Amino acid sequence: MAVDLLLGLQWGDEGKGKIVDVLTQDYDIIARFQGGPNAGHTLEFDGIKHVLHTIPSGIFHKGAMNIVGNGVVIDPVIFQKELDNLKQFNLDIKSILLISRKAHLILPTHRLLDAASETAKGKAKIGSTLKGIGPTYMDKTGRNGMRVGDLEFSDWKEKYRILADKHEAMIGFYNVDIQYDLPELEAEFFKAVEALKELTFIDSEEYLFKAQKEGKKILAEGAQGSLLDIDFGTYPFVTSSNTTAAGACTGLGVAPNQIGDVKGIFKAYTTRVGSGPFPTELFDADGETMGRVGNEFGATTGRARRCGWLDLVALKYAVQINGVTELMMMKGDVLSGFKKLKVCTSYNYKGETITHLPYNIEAENLTPIYKEMEGWNEDLTKMTSEDQFPKALNEYILFLEKELEVPIKIVSVGPDRTQTIHR
Ligand code: GDP
Ligand code: IMO
Ligand code: MG
């Protein structure tokens, strides 16, 4: 059985958590393949709002197995807090959540290094979530990292000490003022590691291979979005992993020819949190309205998200890179009440009109060119089928499908599980 993928196509926060939760009823296994606690995936059902960071978004469904894959980076301290938040749901976590031995560990000093690096960058900072993501992936590719599987060996604390001491020396090189109490952070870390060790560690690539052979349905859950991809995103203002389809192969050990549907999620407009170029960003009342109505505040850091019109050039690029086979449009309800909507269909790049994403999309080189479309006034949040959609919304959807050459299979009209319309 092929492995389906679910990926964010913009700068993250497209609504992946919600949709994975909605789709889990059709799957046996939900597997996260990259990122870590920089992610914040929100789920809403039965009047409860829940934010997950490292734990896959299938966790609330009876019968679904949840896997944290080898491509994920885990902070035991944050993981512990996530588990504590789940206690109220009486889930048998040990039997529904499995962790890859090859997943890397975020140490307290990785977080400190993240802070030191960002402080040293000053104005050029990435706007990182400061969860230690970059430094942990650097240790992974530098072949210095600690993995979950190391915790099963008696010498793990020695390995830890060597790495943490090295990090402390590195923090010194940054020559910035970072205040921290390492013994306190370490006490918290060691405690959380003991709790993590209570969970089930597996060789996840082997587990998934067998599951595929047995005909189990697997959905790989991405974190962040394609424009934050380390290779294809708006570098250097990106995260440190491959958020695109290929990342699911390396982050889970699934062969490329085993990938089935590639489900791409996008918001009906665009948001971005942190630094970096954003061609369609709005600095006016429209942007303010999107942020307010869409409640655009980061699920992990609480920071206000920057808002702007939909950028079809960037979206097309993401569709291509990922080989998207079906689309999901989120938060259409937030656009209700706009008299006119704008969609960026090309860029003026150094005086030339282009329809692809160029190497550099900083504002000094590029201005977006828009198509204006009719808005709609109707409240979408209580709609239950496509037949109820206002004409202007249907036109918006049909225009996007034509431009992107991929069907929009789901239109989300609110944060709740039930506010999901299948087309
Ligand atoms: P993720 O990181 O991709 O999982 O997305 P986040 O959870 O960070 O951000 C998406 C936000 O939008 C969350 O607060 C969701 O509850 C909310 N949301 C998801 N879909 C919709 C929708 O269709 N309409 C509205 N109004 N909110 C939505
Ligand atoms: P989900 O999975 C939105 C952004 C940060 C910063 C850059 C690098 O919820 O969509 P990092 O902490 O990785 O060093 O930050 O990437 N970023 C996200 N933005 N959603 C996310 O995850 C993000 N994870 C990281 O704001 O600009
Ligand atoms: Mg998020």
Side-chain angles (χ1 to χ4, degrees):
M1 198 88 193
V3 176
D4 294 340
L5 313 184
L6 183 127
L7 310 162
L9 300 181
Q10 296 162 316
W11 279 290
D13 303 330
E14 296 88 353
K16 299 174 291 291
K18 165 178 168 163
I19 289 298
V20 171
D21 173 57
V22 167
L23 296 178
T24 301
Q25 57 185 357
D26 301 329
Y27 288 91
D28 302 302
I29 298 171
I30 307 297
R32 261 285 293 272
F33 62 86
Q34 45 68 236
N38 49 349
H41 294 180
T42 314
L43 293 76
E44 272 191 54
F45 54 89
D46 301 340
I48 300 170
K49 177 174 159 169
H50 208 89
V51 180
L52 296 167
H53 301 286
T54 326
I55 293 174
S57 302
I59 200 77
F60 295 106
H61 283 261
K62 277 213 165 61
M65 185 60 89
N66 293 269
I67 295 180
V68 178
N70 58 280
V72 176
V73 290
I74 300 175
D75 184 333
V77 177
I78 295 179
F79 206 81
Q80 186 54 41
K81 286 184 186 144
E82 281 193 70
L83 291 174
D84 287 347
N85 288 339
L86 289 177
K87 278 200 177 126
Q88 54 179 310
F89 298 96
N90 288 323
L91 305 169
D92 181 12
I93 289 293
K94 206 172 151 60
S95 65
I96 59 169
L97 179 64
L98 309 173
I99 300 172
S100 169
R101 290 195 172 91
K102 294 194 174 78
H104 278 246
L105 292 169
I106 302 177
L107 275 42
T109 41
H110 282 130
R111 267 185 273 136
L112 298 173
L113 278 168
D114 219 355
S117 166
E118 284 282 81
T119 309
K121 280 187 169 144
K123 274 195 176 151
K125 71 173 184 190
I126 309 296
S128 165
T129 60
L130 302 178
K131 303 295 177 196
I133 304 297
T136 305
Y137 279 116
M138 279 163 75
D139 269 341
K140 175 178 178 174
T141 50
R143 297 157 297 176
N144 299 311
M146 274 193 72
R147 301 188 290 176
V148 166
D150 291 334
L151 302 175
E152 293 175 319
F153 292 82
S154 55
D155 65 344
W156 74 267
K157 277 200 176 164
E158 286 140 52
K159 272 194 181 157
Y160 169 85
R161 191 73 272 144
I162 293 168
L163 191 53
D165 286 350
K166 192 171 107 181
H167 289 162
E168 265 213 290
M170 286 163 71
I171 293 164
F173 283 123
Y174 279 104
N175 203 18
V176 290
D177 185 24
I178 299 286
Q179 301 292 327
Y180 60 90
D181 180 344
L182 193 53
E184 193 180 310
L185 293 173
E186 286 183 339
E188 181 188 48
F189 177 77
F190 291 141
K191 194 165 161 239
V193 164
E194 290 314 314
L196 189 69
K197 283 163 79 177
E198 295 294 312
L199 298 181
T200 314
F201 300 163
I202 59 162
D203 298 323
S204 56
E205 61 280 21
E206 178 67 14
Y207 181 95
L208 288 170
F209 182 72
K210 279 197 183 135
Q212 271 172 274
K213 268 195 131 173
E214 287 163 12
K216 295 251 164 71
K217 289 199 75 186
I218 304 167
L219 179 68
E221 174 180 3
Q224 289 82 53
S226 298
L227 301 174
L228 289 170
D229 182 275
I230 184 72
D231 282 281
F232 299 106
T234 48
Y235 193 89
F237 302 103
V238 294
T239 191
S240 298
S241 63
N242 281 115
T243 60
T244 43
C249 296
T250 57
L252 291 173
V254 171
N257 62 356
Q258 297 304 311
I259 301 296
D261 299 339
V262 181
K263 300 169 192 287
I265 293 210
F266 68 100
K267 275 179 192 165
Y269 49 100
T270 311
T271 65
R272 169 162 212 174
V273 58
S275 326
F278 178 179
T280 61
E281 183 169 11
L282 289 167
F283 301 95
D284 59 7
D286 285 341
E288 189 274 327
T289 304
M290 286 173 192
R292 181 172 36 78
V293 180
N295 193 24
E296 296 295 356
F297 295 93
T300 295
T301 59
R303 292 178 292 176
R305 296 175 183 146
R306 301 152 65 190
C307 297
W309 298 117
L310 189 65
D311 184 342
L312 268 187
V313 180
L315 198 51
K316 237 181 233 178
Y317 173 80
V319 165
Q320 282 169 16
I321 294 280
N322 292 304
V324 171
T325 59
E326 53 188 74
L327 288 162
M328 281 138 209
M329 187 177 92
M330 314 299 287
K331 300 189 105 162
D333 55 297
V334 175
L335 294 184
S336 292
F338 282 88
K339 246 182 137 52
K340 297 275 180 194
L341 300 174
K342 284 185 183 178
V343 178
C344 167
T345 50
S346 57
Y347 298 143
N348 181 322
Y349 180 67
K350 296 182 177 172
E352 228 183 290
T353 302
I354 60 166
T355 54
H356 72 277
L357 202 76
Y359 180 74
N360 181 311
I361 61 165
E362 295 286 349
E364 67 249 37
N365 299 313
L366 181 148
T367 14
I369 301 170
Y370 292 104
K371 175 185 164 71
E372 202 170 76
M373 300 194 68
E374 286 303 312
W376 57 87
N377 267 323
E378 291 82 347
D379 175 10
L380 311 182
T381 58
K382 296 195 179 58
M383 293 187 179
T384 50
S385 96
E386 203 192 345
D387 315 334
Q388 300 159 332
F389 284 173
K391 183 165 159 272
L393 172 60
N394 276 325
E395 276 167 12
Y396 194 75
I397 292 170
L398 291 175
F399 175 68
L400 301 186
E401 283 187 323
K402 190 168 133 268
E403 289 290 308
L404 298 167
E405 298 176 78
V406 181
I408 297 179
K409 294 275 197 177
I410 288 181
V411 176
S412 172
V413 293
D416 195 85
R417 223 185 232 177
T418 56
Q419 292 170 302
T420 311
I421 296 173
H422 296 261
R423 291 176 79 235

